[in-house]
Amino acid sequence: MKKIMIAGTSSGVGKTTISLGIMRALTKRNIKVQPYKVGPDYIDPSFHTFITGRDSRNLDSYMLDDEKIKYIVNTASKDADISVIEGVMGLYDGFGTDIDNCSSSYTSKITKTPVILVINGKAMAASAAATVLGYMNLDKDVNIIGVIANNVKTESHFNIIKESVKKYCGLEVFGYFPPNDKFALESRHLGLVPMDEVEKLSEKFSSLADEIEKYIDIDRIIELSESEEVVSKFDLVEEMEKKNLFELAKGKTVAIAHDKAFNFYYRENIEIFEKLGIEIKYFSPLEDVEVPTCDFVYIGGGFPEIFAEKLEKNDSIRKSIFDLYENNTPIYAECGGLMYLGKSIIDKSGVERSMVGIFEGVSEMTPRLRRFGYCEGKAIEKTVISKEGDCIRGHEFHHSIFKSDEKCAYKMRKIRDGKVVDEWEGGYSKKNTLATYLHTHFYNNLDCIENILKNCER
């Protein structure tokens, strides 16, 4: 089983650019690449998917136990020639101080994946070896097989780094990559701009791959990517059968919002519907006149604030969604979906734009992140995805606040290193509709699917 992880010494070191370049270089060789991303990111995986033509998968140890992560890798990689996992933050950065808590290093161990460490070689010579040695020694169970030096302008500079790492660490340096603004991807307040908004993306990635081939030894990376098979005790179909989900799903249809404004979904969440035989109908809150006929509605996250004017103008679909709410059709909305189901959004120019209006509240953008990271919500009351007292794990990551006097449906808390470090209330539930800032992974709690399907019967 060929697989490799591209990890960095820190955020901003260039692992995304290197990862995307390697993925594209491999696909240009007609190699089938299965991409993955450590952690809860939505945007980087969209680029992975664009490049490889295969759905990128999130490997998130907070929301998924080890067996579920191994199951995802085992099933998604079956017909691939090689798997490429992009790490998150620095190699040992995760949730809190425990390096085995949601880190790239831990993910590499449970998936038995060799690691290539990306370092920032700018203004560094033999000290690069000290950096690499520290990463090697912090957890010797992590299989670091080599290094790529980013931001290195000349071959002579690269050779100093290469020989130093070889001398003091005994590791190969697979190459370097010079600084080049041509390959920078435009940023936005929640990270990289989603793939469908970047012009000439295919051309950009093709050029990136050509440059990667010039400076990095792809052949050697392929050679050293051979690693152990991943076996899992978890079986999704068995778990769904235990909960009688196939019977509950018979004849059901889900309408899923998907366009430039709403596109943040874990692939596995959609895949569960597919495996259950639920008919999926995609619709666009930006373009469509009404929601297609369905048994329940799923509205994911995205950037409704960027497209607020156009969302406001499409009053017919807003009325269609409100009518479904009034008729007690189950509706589940995450983050951007919450903003859309509120009364209004104040856009970038300060103009208040009308939204669906199920919840009395106004979304306002903030100059900094209001919530960031893993958290869990305990249901104060019954909602469309949970019974009272149920606990849902997920993550929040938003640059907005929802100002509302509506009663909240969940008690939220963040636990780090065994201690509760923050508590708040969140999520709003009315009739058969739930809207929350919390993004969740349905593998973590199949009860969510069971509850949605049972609510379809009411």
Side-chain angles (χ1 to χ4, degrees):
M1 188 176 195
K2 291 184 179 294
K3 54 187 182 300
I4 203 77
M5 175 183 285
I6 312 298
T9 52
S10 66
S11 294
V13 77
K15 65 180 175 295
T16 297
T17 300
I18 299 296
S19 297
L20 297 176
I22 289 174
M23 288 179 194
R24 185 67 184 105
L26 291 168
T27 58
K28 287 184 81 169
R29 295 183 178 200
N30 294 318
I31 294 172
K32 288 187 287 186
V33 179
Q34 174 56 50
Y36 299 91
K37 172 69 180 182
V38 178
D41 196 310
Y42 289 105
I43 299 176
D44 288 356
S46 71
F47 287 109
H48 298 174
T49 299
F50 180 87
I51 286 172
T52 66
R54 299 171 65 97
D55 291 310
S56 184
R57 311 296 180 128
N58 292 80
L59 306 178
D60 191 326
S61 291
Y62 180 80
M63 286 189 277
L64 303 173
D65 62 34
D66 294 359
E67 295 304 315
K68 289 172 185 172
I69 286 178
K70 289 189 283 187
Y71 173 83
I72 289 171
V73 172
N74 185 39
T75 54
S77 296
K78 271 184 178 176
D79 63 340
D81 298 318
I82 188 171
S83 297
V84 179
I85 304 173
E86 180 187 345
V88 63
M89 300 184 289
L91 176 61
Y92 295 108
D93 297 327
F95 192 45
T97 58
D98 183 351
I99 62 173
D100 280 340
N101 192 356
C102 308
S103 65
S104 298
S105 59
Y106 183 70
T107 304
S108 76
K109 290 190 293 185
I110 63 175
T111 60
K112 306 180 187 302
T113 303
V115 174
I116 297 174
L117 187 66
V118 179
I119 67 170
N120 186 352
K122 183 179 180 181
M124 187 182 289
S127 294
T131 299
V132 173
L133 196 60
Y135 281 83
M136 291 175 66
N137 287 335
L138 187 59
D139 185 346
K140 294 184 179 179
D141 290 330
V142 177
N143 183 21
I144 300 176
I145 60 166
V147 175
I148 292 173
N150 196 27
N151 289 323
V152 174
K153 291 183 178 180
T154 66
E155 189 169 356
S156 59
H157 180 193
F158 165 66
N159 284 332
I160 294 173
I161 292 175
K162 178 181 178 180
E163 293 306 315
S164 299
V165 170
K166 181 180 178 181
K167 179 177 180 180
Y168 296 108
C169 307
L171 279 185
E172 291 186 43
V173 181
F174 296 118
Y176 69 103
F177 199 67
N180 192 330
D181 291 339
K182 177 183 176 183
F183 302 118
L185 292 166
E186 184 187 349
S187 292
R188 177 179 286 167
H189 55 262
L190 290 179
L192 299 172
V193 171
M195 64 173 189
D196 55 4
E197 295 179 49
V198 180
E199 294 181 4
K200 299 182 179 178
L201 197 59
S202 183
E203 182 181 323
K204 182 189 286 278
F205 287 140
S206 183
S207 297
L208 173 60
D210 291 342
E211 291 299 299
I212 287 283
E213 289 274 15
K214 284 182 187 177
Y215 297 102
I216 295 173
D217 190 346
I218 301 298
D219 290 325
R220 187 62 175 149
I221 289 174
I222 295 172
E223 183 181 347
L224 293 181
S225 68
E226 194 63 54
S227 52
E228 290 183 58
E229 296 285 336
V230 179
V231 179
S232 173
K233 298 174 185 175
F234 175 76
D235 186 277
L236 178 62
V237 173
E238 286 183 8
E239 293 300 316
M240 293 194 297
E241 285 176 341
K242 287 178 186 176
K243 293 184 174 294
N244 199 35
L245 296 187
F246 287 96
E247 187 64 30
L248 289 171
K250 278 184 179 178
K252 298 294 191 301
T253 298
V254 58
I256 300 177
H258 198 283
D259 56 19
K260 289 184 177 182
F262 303 99
N263 48 61
F264 290 177
Y265 298 96
Y266 290 122
R267 173 57 191 151
E268 287 77 22
N269 284 7
I270 309 299
E271 207 166 59
I272 285 176
F273 301 145
E274 293 172 349
K275 288 182 181 295
L276 287 173
I278 295 171
E279 183 182 357
I280 297 173
K281 296 180 180 178
Y282 291 100
F283 71 96
S284 170
L286 291 170
E287 306 291 346
D288 291 336
V289 175
E290 63 181 7
V291 179
T293 302
C294 63
D295 295 289
F296 64 102
V297 180
Y298 183 16
I299 306 175
F303 297 107
E305 69 278 9
I306 302 297
F307 302 96
E309 182 178 1
K310 193 169 182 179
L311 289 169
E312 179 184 48
K313 287 180 178 178
N314 194 350
D315 54 0
S316 64
I317 201 163
R318 289 193 287 115
K319 182 179 183 303
S320 173
I321 293 171
F322 192 88
D323 288 345
L324 288 170
Y325 154 74
E326 290 276 38
N327 291 331
N328 231 31
T329 299
I331 302 173
Y332 172 56
E334 293 180 340
C335 202
L338 161 63
M339 297 168 69
Y340 182 53
L341 295 188
K343 182 180 179 182
S344 61
I345 292 176
I346 298 177
D347 68 14
K348 294 187 300 180
S349 58
V351 177
E352 188 168 349
R353 305 287 184 183
S354 295
M355 294 292 119
V356 176
I358 292 173
F359 300 101
E360 289 294 326
V362 179
S363 296
E364 291 185 10
M365 303 311 295
T366 56
R368 60 183 179 81
L369 280 168
R370 297 295 299 195
R371 298 284 177 196
F372 174 61
Y374 296 123
C375 53
E376 60 184 33
K378 185 175 182 179
I380 300 170
E381 60 186 67
K382 175 190 171 296
T383 75
V384 72
I385 68 167
S386 57
K387 299 181 180 69
E388 183 180 349
D390 285 353
C391 194
I392 308 295
R393 275 193 163 198
H395 79 278
E396 289 193 12
F397 187 56
H398 50 96
H399 255 281
S400 65
I401 54 173
F402 188 69
K403 290 188 173 181
S404 176
D405 291 328
E406 297 267 17
K407 182 180 69 169
C408 289
Y410 289 85
K411 286 186 177 180
M412 308 297 299
R413 63 179 187 170
K414 179 178 287 190
I415 302 172
R416 186 185 297 132
D417 296 329
K419 297 178 182 177
V420 176
V421 296
D422 197 6
E423 291 183 290
W424 66 98
E425 291 190 342
Y428 304 91
S429 180
K430 276 185 177 181
K431 290 192 173 184
N432 229 358
T433 295
L434 172 67
T436 172
Y437 272 121
L438 187 70
H439 296 277
T440 195
H441 197 299
F442 291 149
Y443 272 32
N444 178 59
N445 191 350
L446 288 173
D447 290 344
C448 292
I449 302 297
E450 180 183 6
N451 291 324
I452 289 173
L453 293 176
K454 284 182 175 178
N455 276 294
C456 291
E457 306 296 335
R458 299 183 179 221

